[in-house]
């Protein structure tokens, strides 16, 4: 397939969802995450992947549901949608919906039937206060009962969408020690009375994406809520985190593009020392570096989506996904730093048109695995005898 035509089709998907996001979020109440989520979901955003799932691979090899879902997320960012909301959509799509699409039973798909239209919202509950990047340090337990159901005890912390989610993908210990089969994963109804939601966490980054804790006090989940087999939790987590690292930062591509466009316009209009700001070689170098970082990030994320569309096994993509996450997050930070240098005080003034917060990009260095730990994992995959 002609790569140029493929990119043009993906750009068209991004433009389409940019227009839809602008239309559906107009008049939506500011600060009401659930209302804005449902408005945007009603545009068909969460159905994009399924709509492209049955494309003819012979006509469009490497172009399919994943690539167009990535383009759709880029599009809502281009519409100026708040980064926290973009992040939450990307997190659900690439951290839960798409990686689990082939792992869930028919009954489990039915349980999640309201997800695509936004009436049901998911969260990925793996992190605990005592362990984030080390899932085997977690203390939440699932005790198997004689009838095959499980009873959950313990608290998950720092969970995106926990204050508002309807169903949680909950990782819990069903075995002892550090066995790779010690974890299992369940779809849990968070409206159950034995589930307690903690207060919404006050954050300095991605403020629009609610975060909180979930406490399970003897929460009973039926046998059909188990995803895969008992003991498959670590394997499922490996799948969902690889997808996240590969594609989650699609949400940043829109904000990066908007920031670049605003800086270019500013540098072209601003005059100082008797000449246009954009005539300075130093300014031009910063702007060019911003463009380089955006282009590299976009290329890497789209390339990962194309590999997933082409059917490359997820287990073969763990290092490439980690490298993508490291590179794009660092480029997001560097691009934003350039913008703050060029915009001056306006970068830190609300509604200046040049506001450039570093908090959101800096957070990207940590979520879905801190970059330092991901670098260790990449080196280990290359053959170095290095431990976490």
């Amino acid at each position: 397939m002609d790569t140029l035509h493929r990119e043009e089709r993906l750009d068209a998907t991004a433009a389409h969802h940019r227009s839809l996001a602008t239309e559906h979020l107009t008049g939506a109440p500011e600060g009401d995450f659930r209302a804005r989520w449902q408005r945007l979901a009603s545009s068909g955003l969460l159905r994009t992947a399924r709509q492209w799932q049955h494309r003819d691979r012979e006509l469009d090899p490497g172009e399919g549901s994943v690539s167009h879902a990535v383009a759709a997320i880029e599009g809502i960012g281009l519409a100026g949608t708040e980064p926290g909301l973009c992040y939450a959509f990307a997190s659900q799509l690439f951290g839960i919906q798409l990686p689990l699409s082939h792992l869930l039973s028919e009954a489990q798909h039915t349980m999640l039937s309201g997800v695509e239209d936004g009436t049901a919202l998911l969260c990925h509950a793996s992190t605990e206060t005592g362990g984030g990047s080390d899932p085997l340090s977690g203390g939440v337990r699932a005790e198997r009962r004689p009838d095959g159901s499980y009873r959950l005890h313990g608290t998950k912390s720092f969970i995106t969408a926990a204050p508002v989610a309807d169903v949680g993908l909950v990782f819990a210990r069903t075995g002892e020690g550090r066995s790779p089969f010690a974890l299992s994963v369940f779809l849990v109804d968070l409206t159950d009375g034995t589930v307690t939601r903690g207060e919404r966490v006050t954050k300095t980054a991605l403020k629009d994406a609610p975060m909180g804790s979930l406490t399970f006090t003897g929460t009973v989940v039926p046998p059909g809520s188990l995803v895969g087999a008992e003991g498959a939790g670590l394997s499922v987590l490996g799948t969902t985190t690889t997808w996240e690292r590969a594609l989650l930062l699609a949400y940043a591509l829109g904000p990066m593009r908007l920031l670049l466009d605003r800086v270019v316009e500013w540098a072209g209009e601003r005059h100082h020392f008797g000449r246009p700001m954009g005539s300075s070689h130093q300014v031009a170098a910063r702007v060019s570096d911003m463009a380089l970082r955006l282009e590299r990030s976009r290329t890497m994320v789209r390339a990962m989506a194309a590999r997933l569309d082409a059917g490359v096994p997820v287990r073969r993509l763990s290092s490439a996904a980690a490298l993508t996450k490291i590179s794009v997050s660092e480029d997001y930070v560097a691009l934003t730093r350039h913008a703050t240098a060029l915009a001056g005080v306006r970068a830190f003034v609300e509604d200046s048109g040049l506001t450039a917060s570093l908090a959101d990009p800096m957070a990207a260095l940590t979520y879905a695995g801190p970059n330092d730990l991901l670098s260790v994992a990449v080196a280990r995959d290359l053959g170095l005898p290095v431990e976490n």
Side-chain angles (χ1 to χ4, degrees):
M1 178 183 57
D2 189 317
T3 301
L4 177 60
H5 290 164
R6 173 181 181 273
E7 292 300 308
E8 288 176 345
R9 282 190 289 273
L10 294 177
D11 289 347
T13 294
H16 176 63
H17 282 276
R18 178 180 190 170
S19 176
L20 287 175
T22 300
E23 175 188 343
H24 283 76
L25 288 178
T26 299
E30 296 290 338
D32 187 335
F33 177 85
R34 190 69 190 240
R36 293 176 72 78
W37 177 278
Q38 290 182 331
R39 284 281 193 97
L40 206 46
S42 70
S43 72
L45 176 64
L46 295 173
R47 292 192 296 272
T48 303
R50 184 166 55 81
Q51 290 168 346
W52 284 88
Q53 203 163 24
H54 304 296
R55 293 284 296 234
D56 188 335
R57 290 285 178 82
E58 292 184 0
L59 293 177
D60 298 302
E63 178 191 354
S65 59
V66 182
S67 295
H68 284 276
V70 163
I73 293 295
E74 180 182 355
I76 67 172
L78 289 169
T81 304
E82 54 270 35
L85 186 57
C86 291
Y87 169 87
F89 270 101
S91 179
Q92 178 171 296
L93 262 176
F94 306 130
I96 306 177
Q97 276 184 247
L98 292 181
L100 294 188
S101 61
H102 300 299
L103 298 178
L104 300 182
S105 67
E106 184 176 342
Q108 289 169 341
H109 278 292
T110 300
M111 181 182 180
L112 303 182
S113 59
V115 167
E116 288 189 349
D117 64 12
T119 56
L121 207 154
L122 308 178
C123 71
H124 189 288
S126 60
T127 304
E128 298 182 25
T129 302
S133 298
D134 178 11
L136 291 174
S137 68
V140 171
R141 301 193 63 84
E143 300 171 353
R144 189 169 187 175
R145 307 168 80 203
D147 64 357
S149 64
Y150 293 81
R151 191 182 293 273
L152 300 182
H153 298 271
T155 299
K156 292 293 183 180
S157 304
F158 307 119
I159 307 302
T160 295
V164 295
D166 301 291
V167 178
L169 184 70
V170 180
F171 293 81
R173 181 174 287 279
T174 50
E176 301 300 328
R178 298 189 64 80
S179 164
F181 306 107
L183 291 182
S184 297
V185 58
F186 306 86
L187 289 174
V188 180
D189 178 3
L190 300 181
T191 65
D192 187 289
T194 62
V195 180
T196 303
R197 303 174 197 259
E199 292 294 321
R200 179 169 173 167
V201 174
T202 301
K203 300 185 296 176
T204 58
L206 299 171
K207 295 180 181 181
D208 298 291
M211 174 184 282
S213 63
L214 297 168
T215 297
F216 306 97
T217 311
T219 304
V220 175
V221 293
S225 295
L226 180 67
V227 177
E230 183 175 306
L234 202 60
S235 174
V236 173
L237 185 61
T239 297
T240 60
T241 53
T242 296
W243 273 80
E244 272 197 312
R245 290 164 185 169
L247 305 176
L248 179 59
L249 276 152
Y251 95 87
L253 300 178
M256 289 170 77
R257 176 82 238 183
L258 292 179
L259 196 52
L260 173 61
D261 289 346
R262 288 197 296 264
V263 166
V264 169
E265 183 179 5
W266 164 252
E269 295 176 349
R270 172 75 165 172
H271 281 68
H272 58 184
F273 305 111
R275 62 177 183 172
M277 177 179 168
S279 66
S280 163
H281 286 194
Q282 189 174 27
V283 170
R286 285 188 181 273
V287 168
S288 295
D289 194 61
M290 290 174 71
L292 169 66
R293 292 177 184 277
L294 172 60
E295 181 65 21
R296 176 166 56 205
S297 296
R298 197 165 183 255
T299 299
M300 291 186 76
V301 174
R302 286 192 173 186
M304 289 302 300
R307 294 174 76 176
L308 287 162
D309 273 328
V312 178
V314 174
R315 65 180 179 276
R316 289 173 49 192
L317 295 176
S318 59
S319 285
L323 289 169
T324 299
K325 192 266 180 178
I326 292 168
S327 181
V328 178
S329 61
E330 291 182 352
D331 280 345
Y332 190 14
V333 171
L335 181 146
T336 308
R337 288 182 63 189
H338 282 316
T340 62
L342 294 173
V345 68
R346 291 170 177 78
F348 309 101
V349 175
E350 292 284 354
D351 301 322
S352 69
L354 290 165
T355 307
S357 170
L358 276 164
D360 290 349
M362 289 294 291
L365 304 177
T366 299
Y367 54 65
N371 284 5
D372 285 349
L373 282 182
L374 295 186
S375 297
V376 170
V378 170
R380 187 167 53 244
D381 286 348
L382 289 171
L384 293 185
V386 59
E387 299 295 331
N388 285 337

